[in-house]
């Protein structure tokens, strides 16, 4: 069983192999002025090894999504709060969507491929890029400028990305769309849904996981789907998860937990699907069956 420290090392090795975007590639996608706010003439570039010099608490989150580099640019206007752009090259469409899905608190403002805005902060993704535009303090003027800056950056990015294919395996009935989280690493999963101190899902930088919440009658049910790079990875994940979590229900793939709800799991091929806290056994098994049906037809 891999430790979280080893997994973090794998992420750093992957980032080192994939390399970083050239600073000029990102700089060319940013405007020098918007609504009277002007670039201060200085840019900062950070990679997975140096990101903690700029971002402390969230550095591990970006590294867990395999990011390559981040460009930081600031904009000033006399007697107005400063604007800052954090422009992440995530290396893939999936990871750009993934880091966006990690924390959604605002309203979609129609910028990029998905976006949200709240209290002076705009977050969006497009192609392999994830962008955060922040005002030091929100005013009516800074809100207009932040949104205008976001629109200009989105328009300059030529590529459109695709959401992770594993999202298509999720049943739509009862799905709370804002709850959908794409993940590859136990650090990300644990911040949203704690399973165990160790990685019992055999995750890796090439795993594709999705966690979603469903409103079924009056209950909220969690559904997790992970597609592994090979069937061997999935078999190991089933073994470690079922031994740690299902225990006496391992042979049938379903168990009633202490809270009187049901947890069920099923593996086929390189896909592992798990339902947590279903009020009835039938609801748990129906969700598993629907995921298998959708995955098989994709």
């Amino acid at each position: 069983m891999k430790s979280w420290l080893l997994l973090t090392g794998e992420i750093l090795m992957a980032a080192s192999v994939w390399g970083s975007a050239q600073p000029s590639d990102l700089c060319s996608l940013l405007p020098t002025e918007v609504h009277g706010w002007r670039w201060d003439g200085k840019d900062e570039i950070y990679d997975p090894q140096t990101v903690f010099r700029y971002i402390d608490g969230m550095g591990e989150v970006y590294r867990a999504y395999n990011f390559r580099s981040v460009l930081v640019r600031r904009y000033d206007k006399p007697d107005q709060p400063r604007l800052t752009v954090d422009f992440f090259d995530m290396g893939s469409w999936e990871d750009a969507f993934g880091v966006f899905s990690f924390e959604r608190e605002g309203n979609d403002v129609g910028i990029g491929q998905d976006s949200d805005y709240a209290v002076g902060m705009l977050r969006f993704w497009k192609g392999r890029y994830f962008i955060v535009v922040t005002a030091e303090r929100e005013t009516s003027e800074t809100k207009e400028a932040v949104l205008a800056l976001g629109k200009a950056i989105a328009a300059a990015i030529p590529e459109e990305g695709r959401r992770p294919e594993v999202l298509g395996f999720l049943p739509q009935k009862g799905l709370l769309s804002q709850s959908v989280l794409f993940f590859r690493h136990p650090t990300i999963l644990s911040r949203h849904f704690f399973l165990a101190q160790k990685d019992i899902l055999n995750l890796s930088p090439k795993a594709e996981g999705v966690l979603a919440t469903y409103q079924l009658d009056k209950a909220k049910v969690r559904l997790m789907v992970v597609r592994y790079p090979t069937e061997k990875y999935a078999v190991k994940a089933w073994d470690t998860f079922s031994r740690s979590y299902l225990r006496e229900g391992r042979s049938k793939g379903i168990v009633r937990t202490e809270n009187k709800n049901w947890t069920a799991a099923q593996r086929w091929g390189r896909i592992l699907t798990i339902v947590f806290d279903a009020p009835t056994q039938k609801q748990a098994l129906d969700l598993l069956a629907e995921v298998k049906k959708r995955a098989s037809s994709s």
Side-chain angles (χ1 to χ4, degrees):
M1 188 178 299
K2 298 177 183 176
S3 70
W4 288 14
L5 182 60
L6 181 57
L7 280 165
T8 298
E10 289 181 351
I11 289 172
L12 289 174
M13 289 176 62
S16 176
V17 170
W18 290 337
S20 299
Q22 295 297 317
S24 59
D25 295 341
L26 301 185
C27 292
S28 65
L29 300 176
L30 291 173
T32 58
E33 185 272 338
V34 62
H35 286 208
W37 271 265
R38 296 183 181 277
W39 172 38
D40 68 3
K42 297 173 288 186
D43 286 329
E44 299 170 12
I45 298 283
Y46 300 93
D47 62 22
Q49 287 73 37
T50 62
V51 67
F52 289 109
R53 298 176 191 169
Y54 177 60
I55 303 171
D56 190 5
M58 284 286 289
E60 283 294 350
V61 171
Y62 293 109
R63 297 203 305 182
Y65 283 110
N66 308 317
F67 95 99
R68 296 181 176 187
S69 65
V70 56
L71 168 70
V72 182
R73 178 173 287 191
R74 298 175 177 89
Y75 295 80
D76 294 316
K77 183 179 181 179
D79 302 319
Q80 292 291 335
R82 169 174 277 188
L83 308 184
T84 301
V85 174
D86 298 330
F87 195 154
F88 291 86
D89 181 352
M90 301 303 299
S92 73
W93 303 329
E94 293 83 0
D95 286 307
F97 171 83
V99 74
F100 171 80
S101 74
F102 177 79
E103 188 175 50
R104 282 184 272 193
E105 296 181 351
N107 299 315
D108 191 340
V109 288
I111 295 175
Q113 294 186 253
D114 288 292
S115 63
D116 68 31
Y117 176 88
V119 196
M121 177 182 290
L122 168 69
R123 303 166 64 258
F124 70 94
W125 74 282
K126 185 180 180 185
R128 72 175 193 266
Y129 302 110
F130 172 67
I131 297 93
V132 182
V133 185
T134 310
E136 284 184 336
R137 176 170 49 86
E138 185 185 46
T139 67
S140 58
E141 282 189 87
T142 60
K143 181 176 181 179
E144 288 184 12
V146 165
L147 296 179
L149 189 49
K151 289 176 182 178
I153 296 169
I157 298 172
E159 64 178 299
E160 289 277 341
R162 290 195 297 269
R163 291 170 181 79
E165 186 179 5
V166 69
L167 269 66
F169 303 165
L170 296 176
Q172 295 303 295
K173 185 177 180 180
L175 174 64
L176 302 178
S177 59
Q178 289 291 93
S179 73
V180 174
L181 170 74
F182 178 77
F183 65 93
R184 301 184 189 275
H185 191 276
T187 295
I188 301 300
L189 179 59
S190 291
R191 292 209 188 187
H192 288 259
F193 187 71
F194 183 77
L195 278 182
Q197 292 290 346
K198 296 182 179 180
D199 174 26
I200 62 174
L201 290 177
N202 195 30
L203 297 171
S204 74
K206 293 185 179 180
E208 301 168 284
V210 61
L211 175 70
T213 302
Y214 286 77
Q215 186 73 53
L216 300 182
D217 298 324
K218 295 182 179 180
K220 287 189 176 179
V221 178
R222 300 281 192 133
L223 172 64
M224 187 184 301
V225 184
V226 184
R227 181 167 65 179
Y228 293 88
T230 67
E231 187 170 353
K232 183 178 179 180
Y233 276 79
V235 169
K236 184 176 179 180
W238 161 258
D239 183 63
T240 54
F241 173 80
S242 60
R243 289 182 185 276
S244 300
Y245 220 90
L246 297 180
R247 298 180 183 178
E248 68 273 13
R250 186 170 185 260
S251 61
K252 295 183 179 180
I254 190 167
V255 66
R256 197 172 192 185
T257 54
E258 292 179 359
N259 63 4
K260 307 303 181 184
N261 290 329
W262 294 86
T263 292
Q266 184 179 20
R267 181 198 69 83
W268 63 91
R270 58 193 183 105
I271 296 174
L272 175 65
T273 303
I274 309 169
V275 176
F276 298 94
D277 292 327
T280 69
Q281 185 174 10
K282 182 178 185 302
Q283 286 172 315
L285 296 177
D286 284 351
L287 271 175
L288 292 180
E290 181 64 18
V291 172
K292 186 174 183 179
K293 177 181 176 182
R294 293 176 70 90
S296 300
S297 63
S298 66

